[in-house]
Amino acid sequence: MYSKLWLDYERLPKAKVKSIQFDSNEESSLILHAKEELRQALDIDSEADFSVSLTQESNGDTDKSEAFSIEVKDHSAKIQSSSEEGLLYGAYECIKLLRLGALADGFKKNYVPSTPLRMINHWDNMDGSIERGYSGKSFFFRDEKIIVDERTEMYARFLASIRINALCFNNVNVVGPATELISSRYYEDLNKLFEIFQSYGIKPYLSLNYASSMELGGPNTADPYDPEHISWWEEKMAEIYQNLPSLGGFVVKADSEGRPGPFTYGRNQADGANMLGRAIAPFGGKIIWRAFVYNCQQDWRDHRTDRARAAYDYFSPLDGAFEPNVYLQIKNGPIDFQVREPISPLFFAMAKTNLILECQIAQEYTGQQIDLCYLLPMWKEILNFPADMASHTVGQRVAIPSAGIAAVANTGDDWNWTGHILAGANFYGFGLLAWDFDVDEKQVAEEYLSLVLGLEGPALAKVKDMMLMSWPTMEKYTAPLGVGFMVTPHYHYGPNIDGYEYDRWGTYHRADWKGIGIDRTETGTDYAHTYPEALGDMYADPEKCPDNLLLFFHHVPYTHVLQSGKTVIQHIYDSHFEGYAEVLAFLETWNSLEGQMDDDIFLHTKERFERQAANAREWCDQINTYFYRKCGIPDEKGRKIYT
Ligand code: GCV
């Protein structure tokens, strides 16, 4: 059994409409799905306030073919779009508004996407495991086989209902049988899978092993300039498209964390990406090339190499060098999805390149769907960066994301799909945010709580407030002031302050008895000046650098006074005590909601909050003790610090 998330039309009393009319004779799968959803979700009642109609006609906005509008007048709610995708999205939106009781005469709204490609990336492996998965096993793969069942269609419906239009099924670390996804071993079953998503307007993508030729019987090289290798790919792409005609293209992780890539042959990242781009171009496919390239064999003694600089150094000189069908997918920050990072400087440096922003819905470093962490505020902060920074005279608009926005899924085969039921709001909200960068995170939380948990009134308000607090709370009880990576190595849940300190991953805090932080200014790696000048100058100045990023950019004494007026060490103590106290308050609030929702949801989530409280306590005590032991400076409020 599994939850139908917000598409559980039986959870709330069904909305009533006089009639449902379809002014589209199209019988395409998208229109059929739109009609079916409306029929399933709504009850016909001649006494109802208004009727609903689905009308396929141009709204004049030809560039934005997915756009749609909803207008209610003269007792008729009209869903209008020039495209089938728009009509399907409009049907879901209308259902949602009706279920929330938010449609009435006079309602009129145009819905226009902020960006054309809105993608979900799965890190699912062929054996059924999920890299960084915290909600069960894969529902796409098991024992090297492809799964197509009822749940597949349910998932396609979720994605379409939040206006996701692209999906990559397999892990970017393509090894073993996953390399064979582009071979006759899997074409037939992949087609069955693709058909379902395609019928909901979702373009299927696969992750690709850059060295496929070497593993699939082709030339024993992956040199992008080797003529035999190039011809192998040309033929391979023709074969792939003959067998998988609906394929949107490939996501490629190359020269990263042990994956093969063009560096082996003395070539650059554009050489590798363009070779694939040219081979796939005749079939209209895209190559989505990840910018997550850095030296993962670093020596901790080396203070000059800086993982934060790596993607900028490799990619920014290549701006304008990529084929038109090559897209560069860039993580939101320069390191790796930490609870707080600065925005990736590549977004300012590559105006002539198709850029895709990569977010992580999977809570790898943000509590693994055990701890509550509502991520929409974080993603909105990234997307709104230029506006926020205007007062600092950045002077350049961030090019985010000219081509699209992607996110790593947090779903698995758990009954509630996402481990923590409230983590479902991150998934639901990501789709709505990808469509509209200005979406209101409070409203998204309210919708989710009402539609999925059936909450209302004060109970809904309490949970919504916790959700909105949860990212700042997590920032308080984990690694302080932007320093990051004080997590248990490999697993990334719970504290281990020196866990990565003497390791090869380039993620150091450099704490000693006098101070902490990484010098990324002129006297260090000067990463700060990979940003536009004014922004770089601000980050490079410890007096002007925002407090929450201070230790990302600077090595400072524990007695350094923050803009908040507190010393670094006092901030560490205060924020950790506060963060832990806030989590205890979450648990108390949740416990007060017993009886206000289904018991199984209540109990399952209660157990998550209990684990979060234990985790936050461990973080609080280990961090405070660690730094007290390092510097010997007591907490000025005299709270208990274990020695
Ligand atoms: C899929 C981090 C994660 C890896 C992930 C990698 C990536 O390093 O820990 O599990 O690999 O990012 O984004 O490629």
Side-chain angles (χ1 to χ4, degrees):
M1 268 312 288
Y2 50 86
S3 134
K4 294 182 180 161
L5 282 175
W6 87 268
L7 300 176
D8 184 354
Y9 298 142
E10 311 300 324
R11 170 169 279 287
L12 302 174
K14 282 194 182 178
K16 295 184 194 326
V17 292
K18 263 197 215 115
S19 63
I20 309 173
Q21 289 148 25
F22 305 110
D23 303 341
S24 164
N25 297 325
E26 271 288 342
E27 288 298 303
S28 75
S29 56
L30 278 94
I31 301 288
L32 289 175
H33 288 320
K35 292 178 178 176
E36 187 52 29
E37 294 288 351
L38 287 166
R39 283 197 202 102
Q40 271 185 34
L42 308 175
D43 269 346
I44 306 293
D45 180 345
S46 55
E47 304 290 299
D49 277 353
F50 44 80
S51 56
V52 169
S53 75
L54 199 66
T55 309
Q56 185 163 14
E57 64 187 35
S58 169
N59 55 6
D61 203 346
T62 45
D63 277 358
K64 306 279 184 190
S65 62
E66 296 172 303
F68 63 95
S69 61
I70 299 180
E71 182 174 7
V72 191
K73 76 174 181 213
D74 304 332
H75 301 283
S76 163
K78 184 169 158 183
I79 306 164
Q80 184 193 331
S81 174
S82 57
S83 71
E84 295 159 17
E85 288 83 359
L87 287 179
L88 180 60
Y89 298 158
Y92 282 121
E93 180 67 9
C94 186
I95 291 168
K96 182 170 87 186
L97 292 169
L98 281 164
R99 293 181 70 211
L100 292 168
L103 266 196
D105 246 8
F107 181 96
K108 186 171 184 208
K109 192 166 167 190
N110 286 327
Y111 297 80
V112 181
S114 294
T115 193
L117 185 77
R118 303 177 301 279
M119 187 178 211
I120 291 290
N121 288 181
H122 276 254
W123 287 354
D124 293 24
N125 298 315
M126 302 303 293
D127 63 359
S129 62
I130 301 178
E131 183 153 349
R132 311 307 176 188
Y134 310 107
S135 41
K137 294 266 182 204
S138 171
F139 45 77
F140 291 139
F141 310 114
R142 179 78 41 87
D143 302 331
E144 302 190 7
K145 292 197 179 62
I146 291 170
I147 305 171
V148 179
D149 60 16
E150 276 179 15
R151 196 163 180 154
T152 320
E153 175 127 14
M154 188 71 233
Y155 191 56
R157 291 176 60 210
F158 289 154
L159 295 181
S161 79
I162 54 172
R163 300 171 219 151
I164 291 295
N165 63 8
L167 175 65
C168 186
F169 294 85
N170 62 307
N171 189 356
V172 287
N173 290 322
V174 185
V175 290
T179 302
E180 294 177 58
L181 283 167
I182 51 165
S183 77
S184 53
R185 179 173 178 193
Y186 288 113
Y187 287 145
E188 203 181 318
D189 288 341
L190 273 182
N191 254 330
K192 288 186 198 144
L193 188 66
F194 287 5
E195 226 169 71
I196 293 174
F197 288 90
Q198 183 79 1
S199 80
Y200 284 88
I202 299 155
K203 263 270 167 234
Y205 283 73
L206 291 173
S207 294
L208 190 71
N209 179 346
Y210 177 79
S212 293
S213 72
M214 300 164 78
E215 291 183 36
L216 295 177
N220 195 25
T221 176
D223 181 353
Y225 285 99
D226 181 279
E228 253 191 274
H229 181 232
I230 295 172
S231 325
W232 186 85
W233 269 116
E234 285 165 354
E235 281 165 33
K236 191 71 194 174
M237 290 297 184
E239 175 200 303
I240 293 169
Y241 273 88
Q242 201 175 8
N243 288 283
L244 303 173
S246 62
L247 186 74
F250 294 103
V251 177
V252 190
K253 173 176 178 177
D255 286 316
S256 170
E257 301 184 335
R259 301 314 304 139
F263 282 168
T264 308
Y265 308 93
R267 314 295 187 186
N268 68 32
Q269 296 293 298
D271 294 332
N274 288 342
M275 182 270 299
L276 291 170
R278 284 190 284 267
I280 205 174
F283 314 99
K286 292 185 172 76
I287 294 297
I288 300 180
W289 190 264
R290 294 177 83 232
F292 185 59
V293 180
Y294 69 98
N295 172 9
C296 68
Q297 296 291 345
Q298 203 183 318
D299 185 336
W300 60 270
R301 299 165 189 86
D302 166 15
H303 284 232
R304 303 305 302 175
T305 310
D306 185 358
R307 174 166 166 177
R309 283 198 70 108
Y312 177 88
D313 289 343
Y314 291 131
F315 287 96
S316 65
L318 300 176
D319 188 29
F322 291 94
E323 291 287 328
N325 63 336
V326 172
Y327 291 65
L328 195 62
Q329 183 162 305
I330 305 167
K331 290 191 182 186
N332 61 269
I335 305 274
D336 195 9
F337 299 134
Q338 299 302 289
V339 71
R340 171 70 62 183
E341 281 187 50
I343 188 169
S344 167
L346 281 177
F347 290 115
F348 302 92
M350 301 202 68
K352 289 181 275 179
T353 305
N354 301 315
L355 302 184
I356 294 178
L357 165 69
E358 179 176 321
C359 303
Q360 196 184 36
I361 313 176
Q363 290 173 239
E364 176 177 357
Y365 299 96
T366 51
Q368 305 202 347
Q369 289 137 245
I370 298 164
D371 297 19
L372 175 67
C373 190
Y374 182 51
L375 291 164
L376 246 68
M378 179 206 274
W379 301 327
K380 272 197 74 175
E381 208 171 282
I382 298 155
L383 290 166
N384 289 327
F385 186 82
D388 287 346
M389 297 308 294
S391 58
H392 298 291
T393 60
V394 175
Q396 264 174 282
R397 248 200 95 75
V398 177
I400 321 180
S402 56
I405 171 164
V408 181
N410 65 348
T411 47
D413 71 357
D414 273 6
W415 64 274
N416 67 11
W417 299 82
T418 53
H420 197 310
I421 198 156
L422 298 179
N426 286 330
F427 174 76
Y428 173 83
F430 172 78
L432 300 181
L433 177 72
W435 174 273
D436 174 6
F437 292 171
D438 293 322
V439 79
D440 179 358
E441 64 269 34
K442 297 176 217 61
Q443 194 185 323
V444 169
E446 274 171 24
E447 283 174 13
Y448 183 84
L449 294 172
S450 152
L451 295 168
V452 179
L453 279 80
L455 293 179
E456 52 188 21
L460 185 148
K462 281 184 193 173
V463 183
K464 180 186 75 175
D465 289 349
M466 284 199 288
M467 286 168 71
L468 293 168
M469 266 179 84
S470 58
W471 172 47
T473 295
M474 176 163 292
E475 187 172 7
K476 286 180 191 170
Y477 68 78
T478 55
L481 299 165
V483 76
F485 263 100
M486 291 178 168
V487 286
T488 309
H490 183 64
Y491 298 104
H492 301 170
Y493 185 78
N496 186 339
I497 298 154
D498 284 337
Y500 276 108
E501 195 57 16
Y502 306 101
D503 212 333
R504 61 187 172 93
W505 299 94
T507 50
Y508 311 115
H509 55 68
R510 309 262 189 229
D512 59 20
W513 63 280
K514 285 187 291 196
I516 175 173
I518 308 95
D519 183 1
R520 293 191 162 108
T521 69
E522 296 89 330
T523 50
T525 66
D526 208 19
Y527 164 80
H529 286 104
T530 60
Y531 289 93
E533 200 181 342
L535 186 53
D537 287 349
M538 180 190 75
Y539 285 141
D541 181 344
E543 303 305 319
K544 296 199 179 117
C545 179
D547 283 350
N548 57 21
L549 287 171
L550 186 76
L551 302 182
F552 192 93
F553 285 99
H554 299 274
H555 185 89
V556 295
Y558 294 109
T559 49
H560 173 89
V561 178
L562 297 168
Q563 291 177 37
S564 69
K566 289 183 184 181
T567 60
V568 165
I569 190 66
Q570 196 54 43
H571 172 93
I572 291 176
Y573 296 148
D574 286 353
S575 58
H576 285 79
F577 283 122
E578 257 170 53
Y580 175 40
E582 284 168 15
V583 174
L584 290 179
F586 288 172
L587 176 61
E588 203 179 308
T589 304
W590 189 261
N591 284 338
S592 75
L593 298 172
E594 187 162 13
Q596 312 246 12
M597 67 189 87
D598 297 351
D599 275 352
D600 49 356
I601 294 182
F602 170 78
L603 291 171
H604 187 267
T605 314
K606 174 184 160 84
E607 185 261 356
R608 303 261 146 172
F609 278 115
E610 283 163 355
R611 284 161 74 186
Q612 179 172 9
N615 186 39
R617 177 174 187 221
E618 220 40 62
W619 271 101
C620 170
D621 288 341
Q622 289 200 28
I623 292 269
N624 286 344
T625 296
Y626 179 95
F627 287 105
Y628 177 67
R629 286 180 181 173
K630 280 259 156 174
C631 69
I633 302 172
D635 170 29
E636 63 189 27
K637 296 184 186 142
R639 289 161 294 192
K640 174 78 184 163
I641 294 182
Y642 297 86
T643 49

